[in-house]
Amino acid sequence: MAEVEEQGRKSSEESSDDSEEEENEEEPKLKYERLTNGVTEILQKDAASCMTVHDKFLALGTHFGKVFLLDIQGNVTQKFDISPVKINQISLDDSGEHVGICSEDGKVQVFGLYTREGFHENFDCPIKIVALHPQFGRSSSKQFVTGGSKLQLYERNWLNRWKTLTLHEGEGTITNIKWKANLIAWANSVGVKIYDISTRQRITNVLRDNASLRPDMYPCSLCWKDSTTLVIGWGTSVKICAVKERDPTEVRDLPSRYVEIVSAFDTEFYISGLGPLGDQLVVLYYVKEISDETQDKEFRARPRLDIIQPLPEACEEISSDALTVRHFQENECRDYGLEHSEGESLFYIISPKDIVVAKERDQDDHIDWLLDKKKYEEALMAAEISFKNIKRHEVQKIGIAYINHLVEKGEYDVAARKCQKVLGKNMELWENEVYRFKTIGQLKAISQYLPRGDLRLRPAIYEMILHEFLKSDFEGFATLIREWPGDLYNNMTVVQAVRDHLKNDPNNGTLLTTLAELYTYDQRYDRALKIYLQLRHKDVYQLIHKHNLFSSIEDKIVLLMDFDKEKAVDMLLDNEDKISIDRVVEELKDRPELLHVYLHKLFKRDHHKGQKYHEKQISLYAEYDRPNLLPFLRDSTHCPLEKALEICQQRNFVEETVFLLSRMGNSRRALQMIMEELHDVDKAIEFAKEQDDAELWEDLISYSIDKPPFITGLLNNIGTHVDPILLIHRIKEDMEIPSLRDSLVKILQDYNLQILLREGCKKILVADSLSLLKKMQRTQMRGVRVDEENICEACHAPILPTDTAKVFNVVVFHCRHMFHKECLPSPSTIPAVQFCNICSAKRRGPGSAVMEI
């Protein structure tokens, strides 16, 4: 099994580094596993020299000249004995039905996996590389290339014979070939060339940077990222080349395509293989490090697989994993290889004694890493988001692991809150968690999150928690009773437990309130009401309304009003049909102050409902609420005036007495009290205005004539009701009257204002009369249509004769009544100005005047 340095794993076998690696919080991008099964047995006796990957299978070549076809798990499906010496290269077409193999002894074989027919040739020099056309199986020309000292193209002609064409030679051994679509890229000792098979043109030559490196020891790695992008890795140098179409207007002799290097950068280590991963690159490095003991001696370290993001002149490292492959201490740069499967983003790291598969981490791997780092909340969130895609994990199990972790850390409240989300509808898990929280003494933490809806636990679970609260937390117990539905637990059991506690603490308000609520759940409302009244609890009114307990409170009205007069009275008045007014009055007869509050509100709602208690209310208002006595006397039509006058006179209530006297018709006595008792001229004047009695004004003037302040008040207010001259004539000479000049000026101003108002009204009246007269004139001057449909109002015959040639006379009045002239009375019997008989009989106005035709 390959190890990732960031995860701090050890090699399962043959690892030279026994020390644990430091943990890194950054999650790896890839995961690794050894290719086992048949591969393990092969590499125990032989060594891998090359491998090619297809989406359906793998093809492995060995140093002993064998080629094995393997499934994805490494099981051998086919075996070919090709040569007694090393297999240098295996090539597959896109369909995976044809294979090309070359070996160190010069053998080249190209054949169908299901036919064995094809090309079989022995050359007199080692053939290092072979590459089939990607569409080899579909192409009639069956093209492939081989590389040794020269690059040769083989294809079948129309006679079904193989034709050979040398594409390049003379620059050393060809060590690598990659064929993509119509482009062939190969590497020799000088650099990398690209050949366009469709135009039979070589389009570029990319020289290698470090010529001091031996090509056979540090071979070139080639990788087509797509059909026009080639990645070259050689030594520590990486170049990304883009094949582009040339503008046809350029020089004719140039190839139709050209290559542009879009990115070039150096790496820290030697490159052993390349593979594409989206817009990033996967790079296999051969690593040499300096020994700590002998500073001048290098040793072969574990190879590294990095994911990098290419930039124009540099690269950004995304992840870096050190791989512990078997016998890595003995391997050279040329012994490693990297192949990739385009279909599943799998990467195969090939070494002589080991093959490691690297693949992108899926959501299950991501969750594994989060759990390993104890990031349970993130793991749970990731599982919930991707629950359809995860295969090895279950959301609930991750949630339970998270709850366990929180409990271990002592975060009981958070753990309890997570139970609601994680445990869901699994009642068995819920009960297990409750018992665990009980064991650790944290039942209170989980109590508020227990299921309470359609899915519920056994009643014993809820009772156990309630008893736990009842031992140490009365407030918490009361909260649970309020929040939990009453059918979650056995009510009688809990009631008995509360009563047992109240024996030791009978005045505990919290327990008494909770007991009342339990009685309410159990529909024992009388007991609950008794406790609420004892505690003067605000919910007593809600309890009465909700459960219609009015028959139970008839003898508790005083208690209710002592608790809250306003609410009690409103409740009683709103439910008169259930508790009569007479019953309330009877209950409150010994508490007159409460009776007054009740009757006062009753009177405000309806002046007539409590009419038989109006006489009693007079003394109640006088005793407890004098400000509302006068409004009561004014609004009540059932109040006995003599009784009211007697009470007011006894208590010397002048204003109320004045009102009663005036209502009883004794206005002069009432005015006398205002002037003599209240000494309030303004009130006296206002009273006189209300009564509008000349005798009262005379009495007021007579009383005020020797009191200058009263005279001033009269002068200021009398002008619109009494002629001021009457008052002025009676003022004694040489009497000093405060503000006399101002009062006289006000009288004159009031008089002028009256004159102006009269003149204004007169103008308006004249203007309106003239306007209406003109309108009437216009109306009367209009013509009146007379036709054969009209009839005479006297004889009821048609108004027009059938023979219009004869002379006829018609009389039409402005009221639109029509008569034959002969049907009207003779002129000698009526006035000169005629009026319509019909309208005159109905006493209509001037609109009935005659209009003769």
Side-chain angles (χ1 to χ4, degrees):
M1 183 68 182
E3 291 186 350
V4 181
E5 192 171 51
E6 285 73 8
Q7 293 176 311
R9 297 178 182 172
K10 289 185 177 181
S11 175
S12 60
E13 52 183 311
E14 300 182 22
S15 173
S16 65
D17 188 2
D18 294 332
S19 62
E20 292 186 0
E21 303 291 347
E22 293 184 358
E23 282 191 340
N24 192 328
E25 288 300 318
E26 184 177 353
E27 182 180 359
K29 303 296 182 183
L30 302 172
K31 64 178 180 178
Y32 303 89
E33 61 182 10
R34 276 196 171 88
L35 197 61
T36 56
N37 299 321
V39 174
T40 303
E41 185 178 348
I42 292 169
L43 297 185
Q44 284 176 351
K45 302 175 183 179
D46 203 342
S49 60
C50 61
M51 192 172 82
T52 297
V53 178
H54 190 270
D55 291 343
K56 301 176 182 177
F57 61 92
L58 312 175
L60 174 64
T62 71
H63 280 263
F64 289 173
K66 307 291 190 297
V67 173
F68 297 91
L69 298 187
L70 312 169
D71 61 17
I72 302 302
Q73 285 75 35
N75 298 302
V76 177
T77 59
Q78 278 185 277
K79 174 184 175 183
F80 302 105
D81 289 322
I82 303 298
S83 169
V85 296
K86 174 185 173 183
I87 301 297
N88 284 331
Q89 180 65 29
I90 303 172
S91 177
L92 297 168
D93 66 350
D94 286 349
S95 67
E97 297 178 358
H98 295 81
V99 61
I101 305 170
C102 64
S103 60
E104 191 67 23
D105 59 359
K107 285 184 179 180
V108 176
Q109 294 189 22
V110 178
F111 56 88
L113 291 175
Y114 308 107
T115 63
R116 294 290 292 173
E117 295 180 2
F119 180 87
H120 301 272
E121 189 68 49
N122 291 326
F123 294 92
D124 56 0
C125 64
I127 301 300
K128 298 294 184 182
I129 202 80
V130 64
L132 303 185
H133 190 293
Q135 302 298 323
F136 183 89
R138 300 180 183 179
S139 171
S140 59
S141 59
K142 306 295 184 185
Q143 295 174 324
F144 68 91
V145 293
T146 62
S149 58
K150 55 186 175 181
L151 179 68
Q152 289 187 308
L153 171 67
Y154 294 85
E155 57 184 344
R156 276 181 173 171
N157 60 20
W158 62 279
L159 293 175
N160 204 27
R161 294 180 179 176
W162 291 102
K163 182 177 70 173
T164 305
L165 174 65
T166 300
L167 300 181
H168 186 72
E169 62 181 332
E171 293 185 352
T173 303
I174 295 170
T175 57
N176 202 348
I177 300 176
K178 293 294 179 182
W179 195 331
K180 188 75 170 179
N182 290 322
L183 298 176
I184 305 171
W186 71 92
N188 56 27
S189 301
V190 176
V192 177
K193 279 79 174 171
I194 300 178
Y195 184 83
D196 188 345
I197 195 70
S198 62
T199 61
R200 304 282 175 157
Q201 291 178 317
R202 196 175 74 187
I203 59 177
T204 192
N205 179 22
V206 181
L207 298 177
R208 66 176 177 140
D209 292 336
N210 191 349
S212 64
L213 294 176
R214 288 174 53 183
D216 59 330
M217 297 297 293
Y218 298 93
C220 176
S221 297
L222 299 176
C223 166
W224 284 102
K225 196 172 183 181
D226 53 47
S227 58
T228 58
T229 305
L230 177 67
V231 183
I232 303 170
W234 206 334
T236 59
S237 171
V238 176
K239 292 180 181 177
I240 301 178
C241 306
V243 179
K244 299 184 177 181
E245 296 290 338
R246 194 183 299 275
D247 190 342
T249 59
E250 294 185 19
V251 182
R252 293 182 181 178
D253 295 338
L254 295 176
S256 59
R257 295 182 176 184
Y258 70 97
V259 169
E260 178 182 331
I261 299 176
V262 296
S263 177
F265 52 88
D266 290 331
T267 62
E268 185 179 357
F269 306 108
Y270 297 107
I271 298 167
S272 294
L274 296 167
L277 182 63
D279 60 345
Q280 299 170 342
L281 289 178
V282 178
V283 185
L284 177 63
Y285 289 124
Y286 169 71
V287 180
K288 282 187 175 183
E289 295 181 352
I290 304 296
S291 173
D292 293 335
E293 298 175 358
T294 58
Q295 296 293 329
D296 57 344
K297 186 177 180 179
E298 290 186 337
F299 68 94
R300 297 161 187 164
R302 292 182 294 173
R304 281 177 39 171
L305 192 69
D306 285 12
I307 299 176
I308 62 173
Q309 177 67 56
L311 302 173
E313 297 181 357
C315 68
E316 179 184 350
E317 183 182 287
I318 305 301
S319 72
S320 179
D321 301 331
L323 309 177
T324 302
V325 298
R326 295 188 180 99
H327 302 293
F328 67 86
Q329 304 92 334
E330 302 171 7
N331 295 336
E332 296 286 350
C333 183
R334 64 184 177 184
D335 294 325
Y336 293 109
L338 180 67
E339 296 291 335
H340 71 280
S341 172
E342 297 180 359
E344 299 182 20
S345 296
L346 296 175
F347 298 90
Y348 294 83
I349 299 94
I350 302 105
S351 67
K353 288 295 182 180
D354 208 355
I355 299 175
V356 176
V357 184
K359 62 178 69 175
E360 286 190 276
R361 296 170 63 85
D362 58 18
Q363 198 66 14
D364 282 299
D365 299 314
H366 175 58
I367 293 171
D368 280 335
W369 185 84
L370 292 172
L371 293 175
D372 186 56
K373 297 297 181 183
K374 299 189 181 303
K375 298 182 178 182
Y376 291 96
E377 185 172 10
E378 295 178 34
L380 180 60
M381 188 181 301
E384 289 171 343
I385 293 172
S386 307
F387 71 95
K388 293 183 179 180
N389 299 324
I390 57 178
K391 299 175 182 177
R392 294 185 286 103
H393 292 94
E394 295 179 16
V395 174
Q396 193 171 66
K397 289 184 178 179
I398 296 172
I400 292 173
Y402 183 26
I403 293 171
N404 294 338
H405 173 69
L406 292 170
V407 170
E408 290 173 4
K409 290 174 61 180
E411 297 181 13
Y412 303 113
D413 290 337
V414 181
R417 186 167 61 250
K418 292 298 177 183
C419 286
Q420 200 170 27
K421 182 178 181 181
V422 172
L423 304 182
K425 300 178 180 180
N426 192 321
M427 296 299 105
E428 183 180 353
L429 290 178
W430 266 110
E431 292 195 5
N432 292 338
E433 286 301 320
V434 171
Y435 283 117
R436 180 168 72 157
F437 273 73
K438 181 180 185 299
T439 304
I440 60 178
Q442 293 295 329
L443 275 178
K444 292 181 181 179
I446 201 171
S447 62
Q448 58 182 317
Y449 303 108
L450 294 181
R452 310 175 195 172
D454 296 335
L455 294 171
R456 299 179 177 184
L457 306 178
R458 291 182 295 111
I461 300 294
Y462 300 101
E463 291 167 18
M464 177 178 68
I465 294 174
L466 288 173
H467 281 87
E468 183 70 21
F469 271 90
L470 194 54
K471 292 177 184 177
S472 57
D473 185 358
F474 293 154
E475 292 294 338
F477 174 77
T479 301
L480 290 183
I481 293 298
R482 282 194 295 271
E483 294 179 352
W484 285 1
D487 55 350
L488 284 180
Y489 45 85
N490 187 321
N491 204 6
M492 292 302 298
T493 303
V494 179
V495 166
Q496 188 58 47
V498 175
R499 293 178 65 177
D500 290 344
H501 275 76
L502 283 171
K503 291 177 182 178
N504 300 323
D505 189 4
N507 296 320
N508 189 302
T510 302
L511 287 182
L512 285 170
T513 303
T514 307
L515 182 60
E517 291 174 358
L518 289 169
Y519 281 141
T520 302
Y521 295 148
D522 207 27
Q523 298 184 0
R524 290 186 281 180
Y525 303 119
D526 289 345
R527 295 191 179 188
L529 181 62
K530 182 179 179 181
I531 295 174
Y532 278 139
L533 288 174
Q534 176 187 342
L535 297 175
R536 303 171 67 90
H537 197 279
K538 60 182 179 62
D539 290 343
V540 65
Y541 299 103
Q542 182 181 353
L543 180 71
I544 294 168
H545 276 291
K546 187 175 181 179
H547 302 290
N548 196 21
L549 303 179
F550 296 98
S551 60
S552 301
I553 65 168
E554 289 185 351
D555 58 345
K556 300 179 179 66
I557 294 174
V558 174
L559 290 175
L560 288 168
M561 292 197 67
D562 280 338
F563 175 35
D564 191 326
K565 296 184 185 66
E566 297 296 326
K567 282 188 177 181
V569 170
D570 288 339
M571 181 186 68
L572 293 170
L573 293 178
D574 291 340
N575 297 275
E576 291 177 26
D577 55 328
K578 298 167 184 174
I579 302 180
S580 66
I581 297 173
D582 295 338
R583 180 56 191 266
V584 176
V585 172
E586 177 66 23
E587 287 294 320
L588 297 177
K589 64 182 180 180
D590 296 330
R591 296 290 298 276
E593 73 280 7
L594 299 179
L595 179 61
H596 166 67
V597 174
Y598 174 76
L599 291 176
H600 173 66
K601 279 211 168 187
L602 175 63
F603 180 75
K604 286 294 184 183
R605 288 198 178 192
D606 191 326
H607 293 347
H608 306 289
K609 275 191 177 180
Q611 57 184 340
K612 65 180 181 179
Y613 300 111
H614 284 197
E615 180 177 351
K616 185 174 186 61
Q617 279 187 270
I618 300 171
S619 57
L620 292 175
Y621 276 112
E623 181 68 27
Y624 301 107
D625 190 11
R626 184 191 169 185
N628 282 313
L629 175 58
L630 184 57
F632 170 74
L633 296 173
R634 285 175 177 161
D635 295 337
S636 174
T637 57
H638 308 286
C639 174
L641 299 181
E642 294 82 359
K643 178 68 173 178
L645 181 61
E646 179 184 350
I647 292 173
C648 292
Q649 286 177 339
Q650 287 176 356
R651 294 177 177 267
N652 198 27
F653 291 169
V654 177
E655 292 187 15
E656 291 80 356
T657 303
V658 168
F659 169 76
L660 290 170
L661 289 171
S662 64
R663 189 168 176 180
M664 295 170 71
N666 196 350
S667 301
R668 300 186 73 175
R669 174 61 184 150
L671 179 62
Q672 182 181 357
M673 286 193 69
I674 293 173
M675 292 185 294
E676 293 179 355
E677 301 289 340
L678 299 179
H679 305 287
D680 190 339
V681 65
D682 293 329
K683 190 177 288 276
I685 294 170
E686 188 65 30
F687 180 78
K689 288 180 180 179
E690 289 176 1
Q691 302 300 319
D692 196 19
D693 186 346
E695 292 183 1
L696 284 181
W697 283 110
E698 180 64 27
D699 290 344
L700 180 58
I701 292 172
S702 299
Y703 179 80
S704 304
I705 202 66
D706 58 348
K707 300 176 181 63
F710 276 48
I711 293 175
T712 302
L714 287 172
L715 289 174
N716 288 334
N717 294 280
I718 202 174
T720 56
H721 296 272
V722 180
D723 188 354
I725 298 298
L726 298 176
L727 175 61
I728 294 172
H729 283 165
R730 296 175 64 176
I731 298 174
K732 297 179 180 179
E733 294 184 3
D734 300 327
M735 179 181 287
E736 291 188 10
I737 300 173
S739 304
L740 176 62
R741 184 176 63 85
D742 295 338
S743 300
L744 294 175
V745 170
K746 186 176 185 304
I747 290 173
L748 294 175
Q749 288 176 342
D750 290 345
Y751 178 76
N752 288 334
L753 180 60
Q754 290 181 15
I755 297 299
L756 290 174
L757 288 173
R758 289 178 181 177
E759 290 179 353
C761 292
K762 181 179 179 182
K763 289 180 180 180
I764 293 171
L765 179 62
V766 171
D768 286 349
S769 301
L770 181 61
S771 174
L772 292 172
L773 181 62
K774 290 180 179 179
K775 183 178 180 180
M776 184 184 73
Q777 183 186 14
R778 287 195 303 270
T779 303
Q780 292 182 348
M781 291 180 67
R782 291 175 183 169
V784 179
R785 179 183 178 84
V786 179
D787 54 26
E788 55 273 9
E789 292 183 0
N790 298 112
I791 62 172
C792 173
E793 295 293 339
C795 65
H796 301 292
I799 198 69
L800 297 178
T802 55
D803 186 4
T804 56
K806 295 181 179 180
V807 178
F808 64 93
N809 292 313
V810 175
V811 177
V812 180
F813 291 91
H814 290 298
C815 59
R816 301 301 188 266
H817 289 138
M818 302 179 187
F819 299 88
H820 295 126
K821 189 171 182 179
E822 55 271 19
C823 293
L824 291 172
S826 61
S828 60
T829 63
I830 61 173
V833 179
Q834 297 181 10
F835 293 93
C836 172
N837 292 337
I838 297 173
C839 293
S840 297
K842 294 180 179 179
R843 298 182 179 180
R844 290 192 177 178
S848 57
V850 70
M851 178 191 300
E852 188 172 341
I853 299 178

